[in-house]
Amino acid sequence: GFGKGGFYFDQPGHYRIRAAYAALDGSEVMSDVMTVRVRYPVTAADEELADLFMGEEQGTLLYLLGSDNDSLRRGNNAFDEVLEKYPKHAMANYVRLVKGVNASRDFKTVTEENKNRVVVRKAQLDESVKLLSIVADSGVLDPVSAQMTLSNLAEVQTRGGDKDAAKKTLGKLSAMTAKI
């Protein structure tokens, strides 16, 4: 988790968490308290992966599901390094998810030299489908991330004109949500 204050679980240890829901009538609904244990990385590769994921820019990219913003270049470079060095590690799928969702969107940049000029990077649908398909087929994501991946993949497939693939992806999504 990453939010306004940075990473929520940035140190190993036991964390007690509780979900809170603010209802429309002003009341608050609370879940039971759950204990989550965050462990130290087990291997040298896990240690390096943790370092590659734990920067402020990487947290922002995870939160936004990617960005081409130049101020996040170091975070994107760290994620590129994850894919280059550890393409088969389960954590690489979260990088693919972030990069796949980002590739599915147009990205607009207002250039510094001319405040009225907007440069648009068009959505890269083929790259998005490639990345999101790998993630969807990996079977290693948590259920919420897996559902989000399938939903995004189906949308990108539809936008790219591959309605048959989108229908198949939506079938996988439907089967997954039926189990819940």
Side-chain angles (χ1 to χ4, degrees):
F2 182 86
K4 181 177 159 184
F7 283 97
Y8 300 132
F9 309 107
D10 62 346
Q11 297 294 317
H14 287 86
Y15 293 87
R16 294 174 48 87
I17 59 174
R18 167 181 272 172
Y21 171 75
L24 294 176
D25 66 1
S27 64
E28 203 171 66
V29 180
M30 306 292 276
S31 73
D32 292 335
V33 174
M34 180 178 169
T35 301
V36 175
R37 181 177 179 198
V38 176
R39 297 180 181 205
Y40 285 97
V42 177
T43 67
D46 289 341
E47 180 80 29
E48 184 174 12
L49 275 163
D51 288 342
L52 291 169
F53 268 85
M54 291 303 285
E56 182 81 15
E57 292 176 20
Q58 294 90 314
T60 301
L61 290 166
L62 289 165
Y63 185 80
L64 297 174
L65 290 174
S67 174
D68 289 2
N69 191 298
D70 197 48
S71 69
L72 300 173
R73 183 184 312 133
R74 284 192 320 239
N76 275 312
N77 289 343
F79 282 169
D80 289 341
E81 190 174 338
V82 168
L83 293 178
E84 183 180 309
K85 286 184 162 181
Y86 305 102
K88 294 183 181 191
H89 196 285
M91 291 300 293
N93 288 298
Y94 287 95
V95 172
R96 288 185 189 95
L97 172 59
V98 166
K99 288 188 167 287
V101 171
N102 187 53
S104 75
R105 305 181 289 220
D106 291 345
F107 189 83
K108 299 174 183 169
T109 304
V110 178
T111 60
E112 190 71 35
E113 58 274 356
N114 183 352
K115 297 287 185 193
N116 295 325
R117 182 161 180 247
V118 176
V119 177
V120 178
R121 190 256 311 144
K122 290 287 188 189
Q124 303 159 330
L125 299 181
D126 290 342
E127 179 69 9
S128 179
V129 166
K130 177 182 147 193
L131 290 166
L132 294 175
S133 293
I134 293 169
V135 175
D137 293 339
S138 72
V140 298
L141 296 184
D142 61 274
V144 172
S145 297
Q147 289 174 11
M148 181 178 58
T149 300
L150 289 171
S151 177
N152 276 284
L153 177 57
E155 179 189 338
V156 173
Q157 289 167 327
T158 299
R159 287 175 38 214
D162 193 349
K163 294 186 187 330
D164 290 336
K167 185 175 180 179
K168 185 177 177 182
T169 300
L170 287 172
K172 289 180 185 177
L173 178 59
S174 181
M176 179 183 286
T177 54
K179 291 178 185 177
I180 296 175

